Every structure is written in structure tokens, then in C-alpha cells.
Amino acid sequence: MRKHGRLMKNIAGLLLLLALLSLLLPFCKFNAGDGNMTLSGIEVIKTGGKAGYTYFKEGRLSENYVIKAPYTWGNIKDSVSYINHAGGANILVFCAVAIAVPLVLCFLSMFMLFMAEGKKTMFMPTLFTLVVVAEMLLIVFGITPLRPFLKIGVYLFTILNVIALLFIIAGWITGGYRQPDKRQSRYGYGEKGDTNNDGDDGDNNRSHRRKRRKTRRKTKKKKKTKKDKSSDDDNKKENNEDSKNKENNKVSGESVTGVISNGSGIYHGLSWNLKDGKDAAVTIGTTFDAVEALESGSLRGIDSIAENNCRIVFDAAAKQYNIESHSKQAVLILQDGKVVKWLKNGDSYTVTSKAVLQVDGRRDAVKLG
């Protein structure tokens, strides 16, 4: 879900919460003996709580128990009995449902809005809010005989639901409930409508194979840690292989020049010149957020930089790059189109001939010249 969509649905949720709280104000009035009686949500809660406590304590409510002066429990029972005998039971049930439906749907919609995380989870709260608004507009403007009995609580409840619905619809119209495309940026990486944050569609199979290889290597590493001696031997072999790779790099391929350029993806348009000796090292991000934070120098992105960066140090005398990975995602070093090193978080590798640094599973790559 996009940032502005999350803002829209949270504002709508707060408005629905206020709508429910507005019913604590006076919401209706009716004739009671010589005068008018006004009901508010607070009075209903207090009266219902006292009646429930009395019933729980004594096991029943006496006929003279005062619900709200001058009405007693006996008066209410007689009224309900009279309505049943007069054939108005269906009307009584209809009125109870008409009162309960907007309250229940408003509460469910508010809860779902705060929990929603995409288009699918936004459908039901949108529908519920639409039903509540339709019913309340029908009661307020469609059934004119009810207007003299309605108070501020009902009107405020209706207005807040209408405003909440407008915010929800605005989120739908602006596409705020779609999955964000973090790669869509000024570097021109990613296309409109692309919701895959892990890589391009053409790289899905390749990414899957790399993840499988990575899983196998992790499994092998866990087995090796169980035996210290074998682990030491494996480390020696790995160091020997690295030294062989360095020798091979020196023999074949063009030597490094201290220029990092020709990037693609998040590195498109970026370049670093380390051969003049002024800046012998550079830190690059392995995600769009980290790249942008490093460019802007903002402290807001320090967390993303700390967990998604790769440091490249150029040694002009030895004509080599020392690459240190501090990234959650694996960093690949390719030469002649083949992966020569798979850098995990905390690993380092020395490059003596031209190579390509690429983020695993994506086309974010930069040439080490």
C-alpha cells in the first residue's frame, strides 16, 4: 500500500471512530407524558449497565424498576406486549435492525480500515461504509416524519461517515491502495504498474535458481560448523580458491582503472572516479532507498543505509578493488558473464580486473573499470 493510501484509510478510520463517539451525544427525542424525553448514548450506556447489574445481582428486574423517569420496566414490558398483540412485532424487529446495522457496520469498517494493507483488504470496509452512508441518508432525508425526533448525534454520525467515505474513495481514485513500486524513480528503473519489488519479470527464473543455490550453500555451511577441524580446512580451501581467482584475474582481463560507471537499475546515471586519489573509497546502496539516502545525505535513511550498503575501496598502487558487503541481499561479482564470487553480509572480495557488481535477483548492476 502506498503512503498516501495508508494516510487516506487511517484518516477515514479516525473519522468513523469519531462517528461512533458522536452517538454518545443526544440522538433522539420523543413524547413522555407531559413533556419530551431526550436520549443520549451516555444515558443508554449508564441505564443499560445499571439494569444489567441489577438483573445479575437479583436474578430479575422488578416491575417498578425505573429505567428512565417516568418509565419503569413494567411500562416497557406492557408496551412491547401491546405492540405484539397489535401485529406490530415485525415493525419492532425492523426498527431494531435499522438501528443495529449502521452501528455494527461502522465499527467493523473502522477496525478493517486500521488493519487494511492493500486493495483486497480495502474492499469490505469500503462496502460497509457505503451501506452505512446510504442508510443514514435515507433515514435523515428520505423518511421525513422522523426528522422532528432526530438530534445532533444522528446528524453528526451521518456527516462523519460521509466524510470518511470521501477519503476512502479518494484513495481508490488515486491508486493509493496499490502495491508501491520503489524502483520507479528518476533513474528510470522499473515500469508503470510493475509491482514486483524483488526483480524484473524476466529475471524470475534466474532469481529462483540463485536463491536455490544460496539455500544449498547455507545448508552446507551449517553442517560444516558442527566440526571445527573440517571448518578450518574448508576455510583454507576457500582462501586458496580466492588466491587462485586473484591470480587468474591478474593473468586474464583488463586491469582496473579506479572508475565505477555504466550502472543499470538504481545505479543508472551514477559514476565514481577513485583513481585521482582524493576519494579512494565509495559506499553505494543496494536498495533504492539506500541509494537515494546516500545521495541526499539525509539522516532519515541511516537505517536503510546501515543494512543495505556495499563499500568499495580502490588501491591505486596494487590496482585492485576491495569490496566489502554490508547488505541483507547477496552481492554478486561477475567476470565475463560468470559469477566469480557470492558476497553475503560481512564478506569481502578483491578484484584485480574489470568486473560487474550486481545485486542478487535484480538488474541493479554497476561496472568496476
Side-chain angles (χ1 to χ4, degrees), residues 249-266:
N249 290 338
K250 292 179 181 178
V251 174
S252 62
E254 299 181 44
S255 60
V256 299
T257 60
V259 178
I260 304 173
S261 59
N262 296 332
S264 62
I266 59 177

Side-chain angles (χ1 to χ4, degrees), residues 30-42:
F30 54 92
N31 295 326
D34 296 333
N36 292 329
M37 179 178 292
T38 301
L39 285 181
S40 66
I42 294 179

Side-chain angles (χ1 to χ4, degrees), residues 157-347:
F157 179 81
T158 304
I159 292 172
L160 290 172
N161 271 275
V162 171
I163 299 175
L165 181 62
L166 293 177
F167 273 97
I168 294 173
I169 293 175
W172 282 107
I173 294 174
T174 58
Y177 308 136
R178 292 203 302 260
Q179 189 73 14
D181 185 2
K182 295 182 179 179
R183 296 174 300 168
Q184 188 70 25
S185 65
R186 57 196 173 103
Y187 302 119
Y189 187 58
E191 297 180 357
K192 293 181 179 179
D194 185 8
T195 59
N196 187 357
N197 293 328
D198 295 328
D200 293 333
D201 292 337
D203 286 345
N204 285 341
N205 293 332
R206 194 189 318 171
S207 175
H208 181 66
R209 289 196 297 269
R210 286 172 179 167
K211 289 178 180 178
R212 287 173 59 188
R213 288 201 299 265
K214 186 176 180 181
T215 304
R216 290 197 207 104
R217 293 183 184 185
K218 285 184 177 180
T219 304
K220 290 180 180 179
K221 187 175 180 181
K222 290 179 180 179
K223 292 180 179 178
K224 290 176 183 179
T225 54
K226 294 180 180 179
K227 298 180 181 179
D228 295 333
K229 292 183 180 180
S230 60
S231 178
D232 294 335
D233 294 338
D234 290 338
N235 290 333
K236 291 179 181 179
K237 291 180 181 179
E238 188 175 355
N239 292 332
N240 292 333
E241 289 177 359
D242 290 342
S243 61
K244 289 180 181 179
N245 287 333
K246 292 177 185 177
E247 293 176 358
N248 292 334
N249 290 338
K250 292 179 181 178
V251 174
S252 62
E254 299 181 44
S255 60
V256 299
T257 60
V259 178
I260 304 173
S261 59
N262 296 332
S264 62
I266 59 177
Y267 307 117
H268 179 76
L270 301 179
S271 63
W272 297 271
N273 187 357
L274 308 179
K275 62 184 178 181
D276 55 6
K278 293 180 181 179
D279 297 317
V282 64
T283 301
I284 64 174
T286 55
T287 63
F288 168 71
D289 293 336
V291 170
E292 193 173 53
L294 284 167
E295 276 202 305
S296 63
S298 174
L299 293 177
R300 293 182 179 179
I302 192 169
D303 292 336
S304 61
I305 295 174
E307 298 178 345
N308 302 284
N309 77 86
C310 185
R311 183 170 176 79
I312 304 174
V313 181
F314 176 63
D315 189 342
K319 291 185 178 181
Q320 64 184 22
Y321 294 106
N322 183 35
I323 305 169
E324 299 177 0
S325 175
H326 305 284
S327 173
K328 291 181 180 180
Q329 292 179 285
V331 175
L332 308 180
I333 307 298
L334 298 90
Q335 290 180 331
D336 298 327
K338 298 180 180 179
V339 179
V340 297
K341 188 63 179 177
W342 190 295
L343 295 180
K344 292 173 286 187
N345 193 353
D347 292 346

Side-chain angles (χ1 to χ4, degrees), residues 27-99:
F27 59 85
C28 75
K29 66 177 180 179
F30 54 92
N31 295 326
D34 296 333
N36 292 329
M37 179 178 292
T38 301
L39 285 181
S40 66
I42 294 179
E43 290 178 338
V44 172
I45 292 174
K46 287 182 177 179
T47 303
K50 289 180 180 179
Y53 176 75
T54 303
Y55 183 83
F56 176 78
K57 186 177 180 180
E58 299 179 3
R60 68 182 189 87
L61 290 177
S62 64
E63 298 291 329
N64 297 325
Y65 182 83
V66 178
I67 298 295
K68 182 175 174 63
Y71 290 102
T72 64
W73 176 242
N75 297 139
I76 293 176
K77 288 174 63 177
D78 292 340
S79 299
V80 173
S81 178
Y82 174 78
I83 292 173
N84 286 331
H85 288 302
N90 293 334
I91 297 177
L92 191 63
V93 172
F94 175 79
C95 292
V97 171
I99 295 172

